[in-house]
Structures are given as C-alpha cells and as structure tokens.
C-alpha cells in the first residue's frame, strides 16, 4: 500500500463520467468520494475534507459555480472544474471565481492526473507553510526569484521590470492557468487602466526572448480566450 492516499471528491451527475474518473483515480491509488449533485457534494466536502475537488458545472440541483462559491467561503482546497461547455467565458468565470484549474470534456487519463498532481503541488507549496520554491527550473530556463535573475541555457536573459514580473508570476504558478484579468490585476494593479492588448504585447516580447519559436511556445502557453499557463 502506498503511504499517501489523497482523497478526491468528484461532484459529477453524469454516471459514466463519474465512473470513468473514479477508475482512473483508483488505478493510481487515490481515494475517491462521489456526489451526483451539489448539496451532496457540499456535505461530503464538509464531512471528509478531501485534498482535491473535481467539480462539474452542470449539476441537477444547483449551478456548479454556486457550489464553488460555497466551498470558497470556508476552504482553499484545490478545485478543478470539469466543463462540458466550451464557452471560454465560463472557464474564465470559474477561474476568477476561485477554481484552480479546469478540464474540458472529453479528457484523457493522463491529462486528468496531471491536473490533479499540479493542484496537489500548489496546495503543498502555498497551503501549509506559505513558503515558495526559490527557483523555477525547467528545460534550460531558470528563474531565480530571490536574485530576480532569468537565464536560458546558462545565458542571462534581459527582461524589463514588467516582463520579469509577468514571467515570475506565471512561473510561481507553473502548470496552472492564470486568466487575463488575474494577471492584469497582479501586474498593473486593480485600478490600472489596462487591457489585454498591453499584456499580449509584453507576452510577445517575452516569447521573443525565451522561445526558440515564439509561434510554438515551449515554456509559455496561451489558453485561447482564457489566459496563460507556464510549463510545469
Ligand atoms: Ca453535468
């Protein structure tokens, strides 16, 4: 038996999808809890305190966004929204409403497991001690947060203040989608008169400095209509 059996709460009314998720997770030794509606989901959450919640947005008794809001009233547990709908607005709303990530149906086992691992890692990093990793290092790209230095395959990369802030914000949240609104607020402040255009321009400049092919980024991905995600 493995030592760490994380508990995942699945709030999903479609039986086949619930079974599918449960089978994937059981295979990796996760403990699972199932709820087919929002009320049951909330009560299971309150009684079992799972480490991750998978939340379908289209539930029979209440809107998934409502469930998310209720969970956020008392908990910062990672919530991954399962969306059948393809509207970008909904993904953005879910992320801005406190979801940690989303996954769109249909999805494969590997994608689901990767999202859960990311969510758990963020929970471990941020949750208990509040201590951050001192560095981001992936495929030759190194960001030293304490020295505020970025190197690519050993060579220093010169970034503007804003560019550095952007890269480090994404790197500190590597693997997780950050929405345009969230990034704008974090970098330029809540009252700044900015729009996505300034963000796009800065991202294009960063990609020219970091990516060997900016059109096919290796480090910083665009989630179309939603935001950006940095390679985990
Ligand atoms: Ca549903």
């Amino acid at each position: 038996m493995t030592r760490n059996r994380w508990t995942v709460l699945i709030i999903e009314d479609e039986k086949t999808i619930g079974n599918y998720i449960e089978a994937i997770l059981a295979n990796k030794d996760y403990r699972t809890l199932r709820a087919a509606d929002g009320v049951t989901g909330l009560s299971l959450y309150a009684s079992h305190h799972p480490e991750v919640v998978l939340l379908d947005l289209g539930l029979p008794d209440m809107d998934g966004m409502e469930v998310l809001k209720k969970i956020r009233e008392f908990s910062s547990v990672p919530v991954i929204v399962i969306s059948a709908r393809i509207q970008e607005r909904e993904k953005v709303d879910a992320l801005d409403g406190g979801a940690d990530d989303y996954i769109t149906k249909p999805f494969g086992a590997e994608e689901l497991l990767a999202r859960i691992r990311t969510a758990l890692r963020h929970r471990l990093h941020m949750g208990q001690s509040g201590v951050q990793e001192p560095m981001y290092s992936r495929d030759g790209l190194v960001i030293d947060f304490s020295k505020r230095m970025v190197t690519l395959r050993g060579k220093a990369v010169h970034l503007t203040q804003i560019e550095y802030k952007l890269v480090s914000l994404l790197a500190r949240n590597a693997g997780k989608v950050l929405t345009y609104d969230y990034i704008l607020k974090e970098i330029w402040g809540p009252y700044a008169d900015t729009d996505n255009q300034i963000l796009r321009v800065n991202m294009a400049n960063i990609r020219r400095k970091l990516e060997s092919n900016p059109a096919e980024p290796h480090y910083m991905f665009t989630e179309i209509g939603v935001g950006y995600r940095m390679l985990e």
Side-chain angles (χ1 to χ4, degrees):
M1 280 275 98
T2 43
R3 307 100 265 177
N4 278 323
R5 290 201 65 191
W6 303 108
T7 302
V8 180
L9 169 59
I10 306 161
I11 309 178
E12 165 66 82
D13 60 318
E14 275 172 75
K15 226 176 165 176
T16 49
I17 293 176
N19 291 345
Y20 171 66
I21 296 173
E22 201 164 43
I24 293 169
L25 296 182
N27 192 37
K28 292 288 174 195
D29 235 13
Y30 286 97
R31 218 187 288 271
T32 53
L33 298 165
R34 286 276 292 272
D37 59 70
V39 171
T40 311
L42 286 168
S43 99
L44 279 178
Y45 181 81
S47 51
H48 290 79
H49 298 286
E51 277 83 23
V52 177
V53 177
L54 297 175
L55 174 64
D56 178 30
L57 289 182
L59 295 169
D61 59 336
M62 59 200 284
D63 195 293
M65 285 297 291
E66 216 29 61
V67 176
L68 174 62
K69 221 165 109 190
K70 289 224 151 57
I71 290 177
R72 280 291 168 263
E73 281 170 14
F74 53 88
S75 164
S76 61
V77 65
V79 175
I80 301 171
V81 159
I82 305 168
S83 176
R85 310 166 222 179
I86 46 165
Q87 281 101 335
E88 266 118 31
R89 190 66 245 166
E90 182 170 71
K91 297 173 185 171
V92 172
D93 286 347
L95 292 167
D96 284 339
D100 292 79
D101 208 345
Y102 64 83
I103 187 163
T104 308
K105 298 179 203 176
F107 49 83
E110 284 314 311
E111 188 184 3
L112 176 69
L113 291 167
R115 296 293 165 84
I116 290 175
R117 282 195 304 270
T118 301
L120 283 169
R121 206 165 307 139
H122 281 281
R123 177 180 175 276
L124 292 176
H125 287 170
M126 314 294 218
Q128 293 146 338
S129 53
V131 174
Q132 278 272 4
E133 300 257 299
M135 285 221 191
Y136 172 90
S137 177
R138 199 80 174 83
D139 294 357
L141 175 65
V142 177
I143 302 166
D144 185 325
F145 298 124
S146 60
K147 292 184 185 152
R148 298 174 67 91
M149 255 185 57
V150 180
T151 56
L152 184 63
R153 287 182 281 278
K155 286 170 88 178
V157 179
H158 299 287
L159 298 175
T160 66
Q161 281 277 65
I162 294 286
E163 288 166 4
Y164 176 78
K165 277 193 187 176
L166 268 169
V167 171
S168 60
L169 177 68
L170 285 162
R172 284 176 194 278
N173 292 283
K176 189 174 156 178
V177 185
L178 301 184
T179 66
Y180 299 124
D181 271 3
Y182 178 82
I183 297 171
L184 287 169
K185 284 199 187 90
E186 287 292 309
I187 306 291
W188 283 277
Y191 307 110
D193 182 22
T194 49
D195 55 21
N196 292 354
Q197 184 55 26
I198 188 165
L199 183 53
R200 270 197 294 273
V201 169
N202 274 282
M203 285 300 290
N205 290 336
I206 295 170
R207 279 180 173 148
R208 266 200 298 277
K209 296 176 184 181
L210 298 185
E211 304 282 4
S212 40
N213 179 6
E216 275 175 50
H218 180 73
Y219 297 111
M220 306 173 94
F221 310 103
T222 301
E223 301 280 329
I224 294 165
V226 180
Y228 297 101
R229 182 201 296 265
M230 187 123 173
L231 176 70
E232 186 168 25

